[in-house]
Amino acid sequence: MVKPQKKRSLVDKVRKSKTSAEIKNNPFEVKINRKKFEVLGRKSKHDVGLPGVSRSKAINKRKDTLLKEHQNKHKSNKFIDRRFGEYDTNMDPEDKILERFSMERQKQHDKKDMFNLNEEEELTHYGQSLAEMEKFNDLMDSDSEPDEKGLLSAELTRSHFGGGGGLLRKKAGDDKGGAPRAKSRQELIEELIQKSKLQKRERQVQKEETFELTEKLDKDWKSIQTLLANKPSKAERDELQPEKPKLDEYDMMVRELGFEMKAAPSEKLKTPEELAREERERLQRLEADRLRRMLGDAVESAPKAPAHLSADDLNDGFILDKDDKKPLSYKDEEGGEEEEEEEEEDEEEDDGEGVAVGDDDEDGDEEEDEEADSHSDLDSEQESGEEAEIMEEEEEEEEAAPGVILTEEELKAQQEAAKSELPYTFTAPENQGEFVALLKGHSPDHQCVILARTQKCNHPSLAVGNKLKLQKLFGFLLEYMGDLACSSPPELGTIDKLIPQLYDMGQMFPDAASKALRSALADASHGMEEDLEGSGRSPFPSLDMLVYLKVVALLFPTSDYRHPVTTPALLFICQSLSKCPVTSLQDVTSGLVLCCLALEYVSLSKRLLPELLNFLCGILHLAVPDKTSTGSHAPSLTHWFIILSMNVMAYSSLSVKGNRKNQKCQFKTRVCACRMTCLSTCLDLVKHCCVLYKDSASFTALFQPIHTLLSKHLPLQTHPEVLQVRAHVSEGIINHLMTHIYNYYGYLRAAGPGFSLLFTGLLLDYGKRRGNTKEQKESERTKHKYKKEFKGALREIRKDNRFMAREKLQETMSRDSERKRKVKELYGSLGTQEGEWKALRRRKK
Amino acid sequence: MAPAKKRNVCSKTTSANAAKKAKIDPSLQVQQIIDSRKNANDVFDVLDCLQSEKEKEVISAINACCNLFVALLERKDLFIGKLIDEEAMLTGEHNAQDKYSMFMRHRYNDCVETLLEHLVHKSYGVKECALVALMKLAAAEGQYPLEDLDWSEHVSFPRTLILGVVGRLLSKAEDNTMLISRFTEYLEMVDVRYYVMSSVRENVGSVMVKSKGEVIPVYQNNVFTLVSSIIMPSQESELTNFMVKQKDKHSEWKAAKLNEHKRSFERMWLGFLKNKLPSNMYKKILVILHDSILPNMSNPTLMIDFLTAAYDVGGAISLLALNGLFILIHHHNLDYPDFYKKLYNLLEPSVFHVKYRARFFHLANLFLSSTHLPVYLVAAFAKRLARLALTAPPESLLMVLPFIYNLIRRHPSCRVLVHRPTTADESCEDPYLMDEEDPILSHALESSLWEIKTLQSHYHPDVTRVALKINKPLSVPEEDIDELLEITNFELMERDLKATKNVPLEFEPAKKLLQGGGGILATCFWSFSRRSAADAS
């Protein structure tokens, strides 16, 4: 194995000396690859091969890479010489040195002497400036004992100048009797020693002088001090006796002050600024999380605990028992940042509730009004006479808000009693009936209190089954809200009050909350599906469903890419908007509320809602009195609007008829007003949509039908002014956005079909029919390529292995031969010893 | 015997008499009549019972009559051959046996007439009973024919009876769906089916001539119910179930041949369809056309007129006609000019909302599966579908997006729709013309599918996921559309509801139903309620 190696190296040497042309012409170097077929017009690269050249190339390459790696296999450190040109073989050593020197100069010049006018060169030794070294020595000397230092420094200097072998050489020189050279050295050293001793003495003298001077100064100062002030002199006179208690007091005071000073500012700093910042950071973190979920990139990431709760908050309903909380937050001020936050939230909530007391009534009224409206519309369309009565009733009931449900005196008395003193413990209700019985007869505020106390009494940490009970409670509360919404008139004020409770419980039991709401959604959609299967049409969702949908938006983030509750809720809204036929004004109102909800759902994520736009377009279409002209211009109109034959919102026709009977006239105008408000809400929603989708690439296509309706067909002359203004505003926005839309047309995908196409041809059969289509051919080609590459890689690996085996063998062989040589040497020496010994013995004999 | 009969025939039974006799059980009387010819006059009582007001009596009378005449037919006690008038019978010279049989034959005719009238009785029980009785009589009559078998007519079948039944079933005034569905069990018999088909054809022809082509919805609905309940055999060997067994020349009987059946079936349908139909009838017919009508016709190409007419109607009817047309084009070499242009024009926004969406897209997928279609056409289809997708519900989107992708896969030259390197200063107007009816002139190839880009921000995550597929190179194997065709909104909902993962929560605490003044709902309905409140006051 060694032999061919040598040969090869010889060959390489020869080859190096030869030019490439020579090698190519040498018939012994050339291997001609036989061709099977002669193909016209094809230039093959590989008809002639140079195996020797390529082999030596490969071996060299391996030597450079693989062998190096092998040699450094178990070595964790590596020496790299970073000096200039160390690994450059082309440079002369002289050049290298010169270059290095100039670089050094350059560096120094750049760094330190930029502003040095004298341009004196600093002398260095081992990279340290000699001048500095001298100073350093001085400093060192001042502290340490002079004699030892002197000796040491002498030795040091000697070693510095003489190098490692200096002393040895000196000794050798002494032994031999001294050369002139050595002598001069010795003299030099002695001189140096003398010098240093002199210096030391000088320094000592200096030191003593300074000491004396300071002493003198002290004395002077004392004399002056007595002149300057009396107090210290008194203290001097009193000496020790009064000093001790005074110091203690003082110390104590200082310490106290110090502690107080430390405590006070920390708290002050924290409350206004840091807390705000922390709150902001928390919100930012939550917002970032929300955005991440909205984009849906890491939906399946690790399950996240509700971020709202602090780490040591074990679902224990912290918001509810404020009294327990406050001392806690005072006690551990440093650790309880989160708790402080929470407390603040509590306070906020308190504030909110405080405000809410004022607002709630209004809000409730609004809602009720709105609902009363829709209901009364329904009624009025059936019987116009009852209209006024219903309104009166409603007003009465609104005024008597807390006592609405009560009909009997007993209950009233009971309620009075309850008002004066509510019980403090409640058992968690087991079913809906119990729950309703629990809350019945109490005012909304008291209902809240009851709920809070129930939660407290049945805290999950108190008993094992309590968690389940409270989870059930959420379902009951939700159902109760639905019932409240269904009752006539709908008690939205109460629902409004109960929302915080619902939210808290939702925060405590997300799973139970999602389950309850999901089942509500499933029921509603199932009902709708059955209606559609049966009669082909389904009524719009009723008020309780609308409330549920709003609750979903309150409890869960609506902007998530996929959320187990909000996604179905949105789907349900869109389903209702597209599948339910509009047959009455109530349907229009309900649909518009759904539109609002849908817009709220997507207001952050800006997702596309085709159904919403379709519905709005349909509503506008209904408002057009002359339907014949619009047929062709509203292409995106879904089929169900055709069902609506009556001219729901034609204002002009009704206003003419208006003055027949007084009552009828009133009713008519009311209906008209309702229609107008619907239309105006619709226009408002269109405006919202425009703003929402203004960045969408297909804005023009989305809003084309609405635009044509608004600009061409909607008769605004007969409508009230407000409406006209709104319509114009909406139209203007659409117009503006349509004209200023950016270049949407063009890139859909930045890159064309890439090469991942090549790896997908899985369904290929091998045979004569192979490569029928372009894709199949392509995949065939890729397979071939892959095979080729695979084989090549395999060959390379084999060659590598062979090379490595050769190297290892060579290594072991060289090691063996070395050992053999050493053994032989030993044997030889032993033999000579033996021989000598024998000779000695022989001589003795 | 005879004089007694005569007397009885001449005299009218008094009402009291009838009332008395009504109490007698008709089945007993029938038994007596069968037992002895002496009691023959009792048949009048039985026939009177048929006309009774009470439903029970009528039903028992019907059963009795049926038994009576079946027995008489079996005994061949009814006169066979050409029947002469009753008056003539009295005067003519006949022996007693003949007279008796003639008399009974007349009563039989009366009975059949009454029963046929009962088919339009107001009570369903009577109707059903009468129908069953008539069919029994028909079976018996077929077995023991009342007509002389002359040499030209080889077979005996109570054709007039069947014609009468069919005529009554296809009422112009009331919906006979129940009765007809009862009748379908007789249609399983090969010969009944055959003769019913021919009588339907006759009936429809005569009725429609009378109505001068006007639409008669109830009548046509009845016809359709009857006609669509006819299930045709697919093989000759299935023709085994006969009501009337022919003793000789069975093999030459038309009703026993599948070809004749098909011809009759075809004539019946063509006769029915050549008249004007109500539009929902069109839909019903077109729904069953491709799998229960066309295969059973001897010459399906005759349907071409009907189908092209339906295809030109537009809307859902056109969608449905597509299926029949496809069969004709595919199997019967029909050349339909501008087929793709019409298909292109069928793509309207409503196509995603109609009930027949799955069927339509299944067919459209078939039509567009050819790789030999011109690029402009495929591009126009893809572009139009994409544009329409902007208004489509999610369940349709889940189907139509893979549909578009498949189009692009099949026609790689359509990739320009996906990637169009244009400079920014080029016109920002979409060159595609949505309103253009001709796909050639729609400039679809110069446009791009930017609608899919918009759909990438669709509210439903599944749709978004599918729409995002276009961002990467499409995989080579086509996606299977058929699984996606039947997705409903409800299924989507259930799928979403089933997903049980951790539930992220809203971090902004909720205080009220309408959170402050920020929500759109609150802002919109604030004004709403205030204004309506102002109106109310």
Side-chain angles (χ1 to χ4, degrees):
Chain A
M1 224 31 213
V2 183
K3 249 187 173 178
Q5 186 68 26
K6 271 181 185 170
K7 235 185 203 171
R8 194 162 295 138
S9 62
L10 199 86
V11 167
D12 285 346
K13 240 179 233 170
V14 171
R15 199 166 285 131
K16 261 179 197 166
S17 64
K18 283 177 184 171
T19 57
S20 62
E22 255 181 286
I23 294 170
K24 268 187 186 166
N25 291 334
N26 186 357
F28 293 104
E29 292 278 12
V30 172
K31 180 185 181 283
I32 293 168
N33 294 325
R34 196 175 59 89
K35 277 184 203 165
K36 274 185 186 165
F37 314 104
E38 197 73 48
V39 179
L40 277 178
R42 179 194 274 177
K43 278 185 185 172
S44 76
K45 289 176 192 168
H46 308 294
D47 51 351
V48 174
L50 300 170
V53 174
S54 57
R55 192 177 297 138
S56 70
K57 244 189 217 167
I59 285 170
N60 278 336
K61 204 177 171 189
R62 289 209 169 79
K63 267 183 188 163
D64 283 346
T65 55
L66 204 61
L67 193 61
K68 284 262 166 67
E69 229 172 87
H70 176 67
Q71 280 164 350
N72 297 330
K73 205 157 86 181
H74 297 296
K75 292 178 175 94
S76 51
N77 278 338
K78 203 170 160 188
F79 180 77
I80 299 170
D81 199 341
R82 291 198 189 278
R83 284 177 301 171
F84 177 79
E86 183 58 33
Y87 298 110
D88 197 350
T89 45
N90 295 340
M91 259 178 146
D92 287 338
E94 285 85 19
D95 284 351
K96 268 186 210 171
I97 290 164
L98 256 175
E99 193 67 27
R100 279 175 197 165
F101 182 68
S102 65
M103 275 173 86
E104 189 76 8
R105 290 281 292 277
Q106 190 81 29
K107 217 159 99 187
Q108 275 179 356
H109 186 75
D110 284 350
K111 263 187 188 168
K112 279 182 184 167
D113 302 336
M114 193 103 145
F115 306 104
N116 200 351
L117 294 174
N118 305 357
E119 290 186 48
E120 254 187 54
E121 277 179 39
E122 243 187 342
L123 292 172
T124 58
H125 185 73
Y126 280 111
Q128 286 166 318
S129 90
L130 287 177
E132 273 177 20
M133 256 166 111
E134 270 171 27
K135 280 176 200 165
F136 190 65
N137 279 345
D138 264 342
L139 268 167
M140 287 271 285
D141 284 353
S142 67
D143 284 343
S144 54
E145 275 187 42
D147 289 2
E148 278 182 39
K149 205 61 218 171
L151 266 174
L152 262 175
S153 65
E155 261 177 59
L156 262 174
T157 41
R158 196 192 299 160
S159 70
H160 284 175
F161 287 96
L167 286 169
L168 277 173
R169 235 179 263 166
K170 194 183 81 183
K171 276 177 189 169
D174 287 344
D175 290 340
K176 280 174 185 174
R181 175 95 180 145
K183 244 185 188 175
S184 69
R185 244 189 114 90
Q186 212 172 6
E187 281 170 4
L188 261 173
I189 289 162
E190 274 166 10
E191 261 177 50
L192 264 171
I193 292 167
Q194 275 177 350
K195 258 187 193 169
S196 65
K197 276 183 179 169
L198 200 80
Q199 273 179 346
K200 235 165 274 165
R201 208 161 296 141
E202 277 173 12
R203 254 179 265 138
Q204 226 166 2
V205 169
Q206 236 176 9
K207 231 181 180 179
E208 276 165 16
E209 275 176 12
T210 47
F211 186 71
E212 278 170 24
L213 273 172
T214 46
E215 289 277 287
K216 197 184 171 190
L217 197 70
D218 278 355
K219 278 173 188 169
D220 288 353
W221 167 242
K222 271 174 186 169
S223 61
I224 297 166
Q225 208 177 14
T226 47
L227 289 172
L228 270 172
N230 293 329
K231 270 188 182 175
S233 63
K234 264 183 191 173
E236 269 183 327
R237 268 176 244 152
D238 293 341
E239 289 280 349
L240 288 166
Q241 276 181 346
E243 213 168 25
K244 258 199 175 175
K246 243 189 184 177
L247 264 172
D248 276 353
E249 251 178 64
Y250 175 75
D251 274 356
M252 272 170 70
M253 271 177 72
V254 164
R255 267 170 216 158
E256 274 176 21
L257 278 172
F259 282 132
E260 277 187 21
M261 289 285 274
K262 264 178 200 168
S266 73
E267 203 173 4
K268 254 184 192 171
L269 268 175
K270 217 163 217 171
T271 34
E273 291 163 17
E274 287 192 5
L275 275 183
R277 204 187 61 222
E278 274 161 13
E279 178 68 17
R280 202 188 63 222
E281 276 171 4
R282 187 183 70 91
L283 286 175
Q284 275 173 352
R285 202 177 60 238
L286 288 168
E287 178 66 14
D289 200 45
R290 189 191 66 74
L291 279 175
R292 184 179 56 76
R293 279 182 281 135
M294 179 169 105
L295 296 173
D297 44 358
V299 187
E300 270 78 37
S301 63
K304 178 180 69 82
H308 181 79
L309 305 178
S310 73
D312 47 356
D313 191 59
L314 301 165
N315 274 355
D316 53 0
F318 59 94
I319 297 175
L320 305 167
D321 34 15
K322 290 158 197 165
D323 297 354
D324 299 344
K325 276 284 306 153
K326 270 176 186 166
L328 251 178
S329 63
Y330 278 124
K331 270 176 191 169
D332 35 19
E333 287 156 345
E334 285 158 12
E337 289 166 1
E338 283 153 320
E339 279 160 356
E340 276 175 57
E341 280 172 31
E342 282 159 13
E343 199 203 334
E344 197 150 271
E345 272 173 32
D346 281 1
E347 281 164 13
E348 279 173 14
E349 223 168 66
D350 283 353
D351 291 353
E353 276 169 6
V355 175
V357 174
D359 284 351
D360 269 358
D361 292 340
E362 284 178 15
D363 266 24
D365 285 0
E366 285 155 34
E367 276 295 318
E368 278 175 15
D369 263 1
E370 179 233 315
E371 280 314 313
D373 243 63
S374 52
H375 279 277
S376 61
D377 291 338
L378 235 197
D379 291 341
S380 59
E381 271 167 12
Q382 291 155 358
E383 296 158 87
S384 55
E386 285 177 15
E387 170 64 28
E389 289 173 15
I390 291 170
M391 283 311 292
E392 279 171 18
E393 267 177 31
E394 277 165 15
E395 276 165 14
E396 277 173 19
E397 277 160 346
E398 276 162 32
E399 282 163 13
V404 182
I405 318 164
L406 296 184
T407 49
E408 293 174 14
E409 282 178 40
E410 285 177 9
L411 272 174
K412 248 177 193 170
Q414 191 189 335
Q415 195 210 348
E416 287 299 318
K419 260 184 188 171
S420 58
E421 194 178 8
L422 279 169
Y424 287 94
T425 55
F426 292 93
T427 50
E430 289 295 321
N431 52 40
Q432 184 68 21
E434 278 181 38
F435 182 76
V436 174
L438 189 70
L439 292 185
K440 202 178 177 188
H442 295 286
S443 70
D445 289 328
H446 281 228
Q447 286 181 7
C448 279
V449 174
I450 291 170
L451 278 174
R453 286 182 182 164
T454 315
Q455 272 170 283
K456 239 194 261 178
C457 294
N458 298 286
H459 200 270
S461 59
L462 297 176
V464 182
N466 277 353
K467 198 176 172 189
L468 209 70
K469 278 182 192 166
L470 285 185
Q471 283 180 349
K472 268 189 203 163
L473 194 67
F474 182 88
F476 297 152
L477 184 55
L478 200 67
E479 207 170 313
Y480 180 63
M481 280 183 168
D483 292 343
L484 285 178
C486 280
S487 62
S488 63
E491 296 173 51
L492 289 168
T494 318
I495 295 178
D496 220 18
K497 288 260 170 65
L498 292 176
I499 285 289
Q501 296 292 333
L502 196 70
Y503 177 78
D504 294 341
M505 288 216 271
Q507 292 287 335
M508 273 167 86
F509 310 109
D511 288 334
S514 80
K515 211 186 244 173
L517 281 167
R518 270 191 287 174
S519 70
L521 282 172
D523 287 348
S525 91
H526 194 72
M528 184 181 282
E529 183 71 14
E530 273 182 352
D531 284 347
L532 285 173
E533 293 262 308
S535 60
R537 56 179 70 181
S538 148
F540 266 89
S542 53
L543 185 58
D544 57 336
M545 204 54 220
L546 298 181
V547 167
Y548 285 157
L549 288 170
K550 181 65 198 171
V551 164
V552 166
L554 289 178
L555 291 190
F556 301 104
T558 50
S559 58
D560 281 15
Y561 177 73
R562 189 193 279 278
H563 190 282
V565 185
T566 50
T567 306
L570 198 53
L571 204 57
F572 176 76
I573 291 176
C574 288
Q575 197 183 357
S576 333
L577 283 179
S578 65
K579 296 266 162 67
C580 299
V582 175
T583 51
S584 67
L585 205 51
Q586 197 199 8
D587 287 349
V588 174
T589 321
S590 180
L592 285 174
V593 172
L594 283 176
C595 285
C596 289
L597 281 171
L599 264 181
E600 277 187 25
Y601 272 61
V602 297
S603 58
L604 285 170
S605 54
K606 301 200 172 176
R607 300 252 179 76
L608 180 70
L609 285 166
E611 284 89 347
L612 171 68
L613 293 173
N614 284 353
F615 186 84
L616 291 178
C617 188
I619 292 288
L620 288 176
H621 189 248
L622 286 178
V624 176
D626 184 18
K627 297 266 193 305
T628 49
S629 61
T630 57
S632 59
H633 292 285
S636 70
L637 213 61
T638 49
H639 63 295
W640 50 261
F641 269 107
I642 301 157
I643 296 166
L644 191 68
S645 57
M646 83 173 170
N647 197 353
V648 175
M649 281 198 267
Y651 176 76
S652 49
S653 60
L654 280 166
S655 63
V656 175
K657 286 180 196 168
N659 40 12
R660 276 186 199 163
K661 283 179 187 174
N662 199 17
Q663 203 178 20
K664 204 154 196 178
C665 171
Q666 213 174 3
F667 151 63
K668 290 272 184 196
T669 45
R670 265 195 57 75
V671 171
C672 278
C674 254
R675 288 171 185 176
M676 288 305 106
T677 31
C678 278
L679 191 53
S680 118
T681 314
C682 180
L683 289 172
D684 212 28
L685 285 172
V686 168
K687 206 174 72 192
H688 275 293
C689 287
C690 288
V691 176
L692 193 67
Y693 295 131
K694 67 174 188 289
D695 297 330
S696 170
S698 44
F699 181 85
T700 322
L702 288 174
F703 284 90
Q704 187 63 50
I706 293 179
H707 182 241
T708 40
L709 270 176
L710 277 179
S711 58
K712 286 182 189 154
H713 302 293
L714 207 60
L716 289 167
Q717 294 75 31
T718 53
H719 290 320
E721 222 170 279
V722 191
L723 210 57
Q724 285 188 29
V725 170
R726 275 199 183 199
H728 281 304
V729 165
S730 304
E731 194 193 328
I733 288 175
I734 297 178
N735 253 340
H736 174 80
L737 289 173
M738 272 189 176
T739 46
H740 290 84
I741 203 81
Y742 64 92
N743 183 15
Y744 56 78
Y745 151 72
Y747 289 88
L748 187 58
R749 182 160 77 211
F755 40 77
S756 70
L757 261 180
L758 308 177
F759 294 101
T760 46
L762 297 168
L763 305 163
L764 286 177
D765 50 342
Y766 295 92
K768 279 168 193 170
R769 284 183 293 130
R770 121 167 67 149
N772 278 334
T773 68
K774 209 175 172 185
E775 282 84 5
Q776 282 172 333
K777 268 184 207 160
E778 195 71 20
S779 90
E780 245 349 75
R781 211 171 293 148
T782 325
K783 249 180 199 171
H784 180 66
K785 221 182 222 171
Y786 161 76
K787 222 174 188 178
K788 222 164 117 188
E789 288 293 316
F790 184 78
K791 275 183 180 168
L794 220 61
R795 206 165 20 203
E796 284 297 302
I797 289 169
R798 278 200 198 110
K799 275 182 184 168
D800 280 355
N801 282 342
R802 230 175 287 153
F803 175 80
M804 282 316 297
R806 211 156 50 217
E807 285 300 320
K808 273 178 191 166
L809 187 71
Q810 211 173 334
E811 221 170 84
T812 42
M813 277 172 80
S814 63
R815 228 185 298 137
D816 284 357
S817 60
E818 180 78 359
R819 191 172 150 274
K820 249 181 204 167
R821 191 182 56 76
K822 278 184 178 168
V823 168
K824 233 179 215 171
E825 222 169 67
L826 279 174
Y827 272 123
S829 66
L830 281 174
T832 48
Q833 241 175 20
E834 182 82 5
E836 273 170 15
W837 182 69
K838 275 183 180 166
L840 213 70
R841 217 169 50 170
R842 219 175 288 141
R843 231 184 289 162
K844 273 183 182 172
K845 279 176 187 176
Chain B
M1 222 160 111
K5 259 183 272 171
K6 264 177 248 164
R7 194 199 64 227
N8 250 348
V9 169
C10 297
S11 68
K12 294 278 178 256
T13 47
T14 58
S15 59
N17 203 5
K20 206 204 307 177
K21 276 175 184 164
K23 280 165 194 166
I24 306 159
D25 191 10
S27 55
L28 276 176
Q29 281 184 328
V30 163
Q31 198 57 46
Q32 286 167 3
I33 296 167
I34 293 169
D35 287 345
S36 149
R37 289 187 182 181
K38 279 176 192 163
N39 301 323
N41 275 333
D42 288 347
V43 78
F44 285 108
D45 299 335
V46 180
L47 288 179
D48 278 340
C49 274
L50 274 182
Q51 311 261 354
S52 164
E53 296 292 316
K54 292 175 186 166
E55 196 182 321
K56 268 187 185 172
E57 280 177 27
V58 175
I59 287 174
S60 61
I62 289 171
N63 287 332
C65 282
C66 178
N67 289 339
L68 170 67
F69 288 111
V70 167
L72 289 178
L73 277 169
E74 275 173 12
R75 283 210 306 228
K76 303 205 175 177
D77 270 355
L78 295 182
F79 183 75
I80 298 171
K82 205 164 162 52
L83 191 64
I84 52 171
D85 270 0
E86 213 152 3
E87 299 299 321
M89 186 189 81
L90 287 176
T91 54
E93 285 298 311
H94 299 286
N95 59 12
Q97 170 65 29
D98 277 355
K99 277 188 178 171
Y100 172 72
S101 59
M102 276 181 179
F103 168 75
M104 272 306 179
R105 177 78 188 278
H106 277 292
R107 297 292 79 72
Y108 172 67
N109 285 354
D110 288 347
C111 171
V112 166
E113 206 118 297
T114 328
L115 286 177
L116 284 175
E117 271 158 29
H118 277 320
L119 280 182
V120 290
H121 198 272
K122 52 186 179 296
S123 148
Y124 176 70
V126 175
K127 274 199 250 183
E128 189 186 353
C129 204
L131 182 68
V132 173
L134 278 171
M135 291 316 288
K136 268 185 194 165
L137 288 177
E141 200 180 322
Q143 205 66 38
Y144 308 99
L146 293 174
E147 309 290 329
D148 276 331
L149 295 177
D150 58 344
W151 60 275
S152 60
E153 294 230 43
H154 303 292
V155 291
S156 63
F157 197 84
R159 237 163 293 155
T160 46
L161 190 59
I162 293 290
L163 186 62
V165 170
V166 167
R168 294 308 192 289
L169 280 178
L170 303 178
S171 157
K172 271 181 255 181
E174 62 177 324
D175 191 10
N176 263 341
T177 317
M178 293 266 277
L179 200 59
I180 290 169
S181 64
R182 181 77 173 82
F183 187 63
T184 39
E185 72 180 58
Y186 297 104
L187 290 176
E188 281 168 19
M189 289 180 272
V190 180
D191 43 358
V192 176
R193 189 194 303 141
Y194 179 76
Y195 287 106
V196 163
M197 286 195 289
S198 56
S199 27
V200 165
R201 184 168 56 88
E202 274 176 44
N203 188 280
V204 169
S206 62
V207 169
M208 280 304 163
V209 163
K210 267 183 216 163
S211 75
K212 289 167 190 164
E214 285 298 306
V215 178
I216 316 168
V218 178
Y219 173 73
Q220 277 167 331
N221 196 33
N222 281 331
V223 173
F224 176 74
T225 323
L226 179 61
V227 157
S228 62
S229 56
I230 294 175
I231 298 160
M232 287 290 281
S234 53
Q235 286 174 336
E236 188 103 30
S237 57
E238 284 175 34
L239 302 172
T240 50
N241 183 11
F242 288 92
M243 184 171 85
V244 181
K245 292 275 185 292
Q246 299 298 327
K247 291 180 192 76
D248 47 354
K249 299 172 184 171
H250 177 80
S251 56
E252 286 173 37
W253 195 21
K254 279 184 174 179
K257 286 178 189 156
L258 187 63
N259 271 344
E260 290 297 326
H261 268 266
K262 281 193 168 178
R263 203 166 292 154
S264 176
F265 184 78
E266 178 185 299
R267 266 181 285 170
M268 174 187 75
W269 270 109
L270 289 175
F272 177 51
L273 294 179
K274 76 183 173 196
N275 300 299
K276 210 175 160 191
L277 297 170
S279 65
N280 63 336
M281 184 64 67
Y282 268 112
K283 283 185 194 168
K284 281 184 190 169
I285 293 167
L286 287 169
V287 165
I288 61 161
L289 186 76
H290 67 284
D291 56 20
S292 58
I293 301 177
L294 280 183
N296 295 322
M297 289 175 72
S298 64
N299 190 5
T301 41
L302 291 174
M303 273 292 186
I304 183 72
D305 288 336
F306 173 72
L307 281 172
T308 41
Y311 195 47
D312 290 336
V313 170
I317 294 175
S318 299
L319 295 189
L320 290 169
L322 213 54
N323 212 338
L325 272 182
F326 169 67
I327 291 174
L328 291 186
I329 292 170
H330 191 226
H331 298 294
H332 302 284
N333 291 329
L334 176 71
D335 186 23
Y336 196 90
D338 289 339
F339 177 78
Y340 281 101
K341 191 179 161 188
K342 280 190 177 162
L343 185 68
Y344 179 74
N345 285 313
L346 281 183
L347 296 176
E348 283 167 359
S350 61
V351 92
F352 292 120
H353 297 272
V354 292
K355 236 196 295 180
Y356 314 107
R357 187 193 73 205
R359 180 195 283 253
F360 174 71
F361 277 98
H362 171 73
L363 287 171
N365 193 26
L366 275 180
F367 294 140
L368 294 171
S369 59
S370 164
T371 46
H372 297 288
L373 293 175
V375 186
Y376 73 84
L377 190 73
V378 178
F381 269 99
K383 181 70 188 166
R384 194 173 179 92
L385 282 173
R387 183 62 70 83
L388 296 180
L390 283 180
T391 60
E395 67 271 18
S396 302
L397 283 175
L398 284 179
M399 180 267 304
V400 78
L401 287 175
F403 192 95
I404 295 172
Y405 296 165
N406 278 355
L407 287 183
I408 297 171
R409 281 191 189 110
R410 278 175 213 149
H411 304 271
S413 35
C414 278
R415 283 190 198 141
V416 285
L417 291 176
V418 179
H419 175 62
R420 177 178 302 284
T422 46
T423 48
D425 50 75
E426 257 180 68
S427 72
C428 58
E429 281 290 310
D430 193 355
Y432 175 70
L433 301 171
M434 186 72 176
D435 297 331
E436 180 59 53
E437 286 189 352
D438 196 346
I440 306 174
L441 303 174
S442 66
H443 299 293
L445 262 183
E446 294 156 34
S447 179
S448 71
L449 295 174
W450 47 263
E451 290 91 349
I452 295 178
K453 190 94 188 163
T454 308
L455 287 174
Q456 286 173 0
S457 61
H458 193 268
Y459 71 92
H460 198 269
D462 287 343
V463 176
T464 314
R465 183 176 50 78
V466 175
L468 279 170
K469 275 187 190 170
I470 198 98
N471 283 1
K472 288 174 194 157
L474 296 170
S475 59
V476 170
E478 288 187 10
E479 282 168 77
D480 193 9
I481 293 285
D482 291 337
E483 293 168 13
L484 305 169
L485 285 174
E486 301 284 352
I487 295 178
T488 62
N489 201 327
F490 188 60
E491 279 173 19
L492 273 185
M493 187 90 161
E494 286 205 319
R495 213 190 290 166
D496 277 330
L497 285 170
K498 263 180 201 162
T500 47
K501 289 175 292 180
N502 62 314
V503 189
L505 290 167
E506 180 67 46
F507 54 82
E508 267 178 48
K511 281 158 212 147
K512 281 185 283 178
L513 197 61
L514 302 178
Q515 192 88 287
I520 297 164
L521 185 63
T523 51
C524 278
F525 281 91
W526 168 273
S527 53
F528 189 101
S529 56
R530 198 171 42 183
R531 213 168 304 145
S532 53
D535 289 331
S537 58

